[in-house]
Amino acid sequence: MAVDKGANQSVEKAISVLESFASGEPMRVGDVARAAGIGQSTASRLLATLEAGGLVERDAQTTLYFLGSELLTLAGIAINQNRVHRVGRQIAQGLAGKLGLGVNLALLRGAELIYLCNFEGPLSPKSHTLMGQRVPLHATSIGKSTLVGTSRDSRHALLPELVGYTEATITTHETLDREVALIARRGYATEVEEFVLGRASVAAPILDQSGRIVAAVSISGPRSTIDLETREAELGRIVIETADRISSGLGYQGPAG
């Protein structure tokens, strides 16, 4: 049992080391140790092991560590095995081409969403991909759309603190409760500069075969380009129809009865 416990602790520490790179920035051993909450010698030993397995790599000149190429293979396998990605990828890509705006798919995971894929139309270019990025539920349309599946009490337990990212971010539960009620009535969520300045979006939840919200799809772009002031109803209808297509592909057949 002692061996098992020690092995488990080593695995947990290795996971913490990998998660310390979530910011996307290369890191020194000391940085990794502080982020993972472990000693520097332990961090150095674990990094060496992970480097041997291709999970992290080190720049010979700067000695900075970054995530390794082996993770690309594992991430690719995980994404391609995901049913939401398999069903929704082509639908999202086609919609991005049709609208010229960004279309994003994200998977619900606890108090966050993880982007599975994003397609940028010519009217909504980005210099980076969102794949794998985590976003909060309360500050994005794609996140808020999934909250219609929660009760007020469960929402408060899931999101005890509402972090502000811009002046427009919802930071009180009273405001979030009203927002969720509005989303439930109209079927889609909106966001205007609540998470990233200059960006706006609309989103709708995706349901699995059992009717459980498991993901969401959003249409996004620069605030001036997406023009929610005049196009909200149109884009809201489109994103609901898109979410329904993906939900149907997952086996959802509508409310029982």
Side-chain angles (χ1 to χ4, degrees):
M1 292 296 293
V3 174
D4 289 342
K5 183 177 180 181
N8 288 340
Q9 289 177 339
S10 294
V11 171
E12 290 170 356
K13 290 177 181 178
I15 292 172
S16 296
V17 167
L18 290 174
E19 289 181 337
S20 70
F21 290 92
S23 67
E25 297 296 327
M27 304 176 75
R28 290 183 167 81
V29 174
D31 300 327
V32 171
R34 283 189 292 275
I38 57 179
Q40 187 158 326
S41 61
T42 301
S44 180
R45 184 173 67 254
L46 289 172
L47 285 168
T49 301
L50 293 170
E51 184 181 9
L55 299 178
V56 300
E57 297 176 13
R58 181 177 57 169
D59 186 292
Q61 293 184 332
T62 66
T63 70
L64 292 173
Y65 284 89
F66 52 94
L67 293 178
S69 56
E70 180 62 23
L71 288 175
L72 295 175
T73 299
L74 297 176
I77 293 170
I79 288 174
N80 288 326
Q81 287 178 338
N82 184 271
R83 288 199 67 211
V84 175
H85 181 268
R86 292 204 308 269
V87 172
R89 183 183 185 279
Q90 192 170 12
I91 294 172
Q93 185 174 18
L95 183 59
K98 179 180 178 180
L99 295 177
L101 296 168
V103 179
N104 317 286
L105 286 177
L107 189 68
L108 182 60
R109 182 180 175 187
E112 297 176 314
L113 280 172
I114 301 174
Y115 280 107
L116 292 174
C117 59
N118 70 289
F119 300 97
E120 299 300 326
L123 301 178
S124 182
K126 272 198 180 82
S127 60
H128 63 282
T129 179
L130 294 175
M131 187 175 68
Q133 181 177 327
R134 299 176 180 179
V135 292
L137 299 186
H138 72 285
T140 58
S141 68
I142 201 166
K144 288 188 293 182
S145 71
T146 67
L147 292 176
V148 296
T150 62
S151 67
R152 185 177 187 274
D153 289 342
S154 65
R155 205 157 48 242
H156 286 217
L158 183 67
L159 303 169
E161 181 181 3
L162 304 179
V163 177
Y165 297 93
T166 73
E167 292 184 357
T169 307
I170 293 174
T171 56
T172 69
H173 278 286
E174 291 75 14
T175 304
L176 184 61
D177 291 343
R178 291 194 296 270
E179 182 81 355
V180 171
L182 175 61
I183 294 166
R185 288 196 301 271
R186 67 188 180 189
Y188 67 89
T190 63
E191 173 208 344
V192 179
E193 296 186 324
E194 293 174 39
F195 188 53
V196 177
L197 293 176
R199 303 287 294 185
S201 60
V202 297
I206 295 170
L207 287 65
D208 66 7
Q209 185 175 5
S210 67
R212 181 172 58 98
I213 294 175
V214 294
V217 57
S218 71
I219 300 170
S220 65
R223 179 176 179 177
S224 59
T225 302
I226 197 169
D227 190 19
L228 288 186
E229 287 80 3
T230 59
R231 299 187 66 192
E232 179 182 324
E234 172 201 357
L235 294 176
R237 174 183 55 79
I238 292 172
V239 81
I240 290 173
E241 292 173 352
T242 302
D244 286 347
R245 286 183 62 193
I246 298 172
S247 298
S248 296
L250 295 176
Y252 179 64
Q253 298 179 350

